[in-house]
Amino acid sequence: MFDVDVVMDRNQLIMITVIAYWYLRRRAEARIERIRDNNSILTGHTYTQELLRGSSTQCQELMRLSRDAYVLLCNHFKENNWLQSSNHISAEEKMAMFLTIIGHNERFRMVKRRFQHSTRTIHLCFHEVLNGMMEFAREVVRPTSFDGTLSMSERVRKLKEIFPGAIGALDGTLIHAVVPLNQQARYRGRGRGDCYQNVLAMCDFNMIFTYVWAGWEGIAHDARVLREVAFDPNSRFPFPPPNKYYLCDAAYPNTRGFLTPYRNTRYWLADFRRRRPVTKQEKFNHAHAQLRNVIERAYGVMKARFPILKQMAPYPYSKQIEVVVACFAIHNFIRRCNIQDQLFMEYDENAMFTAEEEHGGGIEEDIVEVQWGSSQDNGYMANLRDQIATRLFSNA
């Protein structure tokens, strides 16, 4: 007679052995496949060294900033211990991966081909740099001196004389966002099919962003975003001194600290291309638009440099916000270092750049009345606007 238990134990042992053999063989095949998958002669290390030793144009095209700016950025991160080299990947290579992703909106699977690392490694390096970028942003995205003694072009300096109390421009912009289906209604900004996050930012007259607050739903009106952020104790909103103000478009309230144009009057620069300003209100609006245009050009530089802002990758929404903040930080770093940059040169020369497609075109269109501030504050700014307009009209 056969011992049934013995036969079953033997069969189970054979089955376990077969399964273990199959599992180990599949693991070995997968390992061989991964090795063969990244078999380029140009490794990530070699590629990074080529960027460091090559021409600045190569860096500009591949990572969207000059070689000098790339080297300074890497050194700054290493000095502050925000990014360090690991056993197999240098800090410069990690930064190159990050810049390639946001500078060309590449997915991890594409970047792994260039740098010859696994998708998981690319993922870890990207988030390591992104975490460092949040510390970096706190350092470089901050208010500049309110005295206005910045290096300005002659054109901006003349406009600044018309608005002596202006310390910068304030505006919102829409950044593409990827959100779950059940939340998309709140992010479909201004009747568009795509989803957006509404970002509030301010910049000085040298195109350096002095404040940024990202993450609002695309459907949120600009004035509401400003009001909520300004009075949020956690936002650290930089209110201007009593005799200073930000230039804003008519979507915002004309109250102390925020100077807006006259409503129901031509305002956008394109409106004045065929017919010069005639009335004092039009003359004020034209001068206001010319000086406030600095924030449109700053947004233009940043979006041209980082295509990921126009077609965001499907990261978790909190990470999408961090990517936006990182783009602002790198933008400021390049500008603050006073490094010659092709994009800044192009937008400096194009003083008439407009982004009216984000505002709907007309000054009275899509404006929701959101008032805040006392009647005294509102009256103060209205009188100031009238004084500037009268002076402009009398000097014409």
Side-chain angles (χ1 to χ4, degrees), residues 143-314:
T144 52
S145 173
F146 286 135
D147 61 11
T149 57
L150 296 171
S151 57
M152 304 177 189
S153 66
E154 186 61 27
R155 183 187 65 85
V156 172
R157 188 173 289 107
K158 289 181 179 179
L159 287 168
K160 184 69 171 57
E161 293 175 357
I162 300 172
F163 302 92
I167 58 173
L170 179 151
D171 200 7
T173 190
L174 297 178
I175 303 293
H176 182 260
V178 180
V179 296
L181 185 63
N182 62 351
Q183 300 179 25
Q184 289 184 1
R186 295 186 293 130
Y187 290 86
R188 295 188 192 279
R190 304 174 190 180
R192 303 185 183 189
D194 292 332
C195 295
Y196 297 87
Q197 59 168 295
N198 197 337
V199 179
L200 173 71
M202 296 180 291
C203 74
D204 61 24
F205 296 112
N206 197 31
M207 284 198 284
I208 294 176
F209 288 101
T210 58
Y211 183 81
V212 58
W213 191 269
W216 278 81
E217 302 93 334
I219 199 173
H221 192 271
D222 288 346
R224 179 198 162 202
V225 174
L226 174 60
R227 183 184 61 186
E228 296 294 333
V229 172
F231 295 103
D232 181 351
N234 298 317
S235 69
R236 298 181 180 180
F237 185 84
F239 279 97
N243 59 337
K244 303 291 183 179
Y245 49 82
Y246 298 113
L247 299 180
C248 316
D249 65 29
Y252 298 95
N254 190 58
T255 189
R256 188 179 290 269
F258 306 91
L259 182 63
T260 66
Y262 289 99
R263 291 185 176 178
N264 302 316
T265 303
R266 284 189 298 163
Y267 177 69
W268 304 114
L269 293 178
D271 296 336
F272 295 100
R273 286 174 181 165
R274 294 185 178 180
R275 186 164 61 91
R276 298 177 62 184
V278 178
T279 66
K280 76 172 188 177
Q281 289 83 1
E282 287 184 346
K283 287 183 178 296
F284 175 91
N285 279 11
H286 186 225
H288 186 285
Q290 285 181 302
L291 189 56
R292 195 198 66 88
N293 179 257
V294 65
I295 195 166
E296 304 287 7
R297 290 185 285 122
Y299 280 141
V301 171
M302 192 174 65
K303 290 183 178 182
R305 191 185 307 278
F306 303 116
I308 196 170
L309 299 177
K310 298 179 180 178
Q311 188 65 48
M312 182 61 69

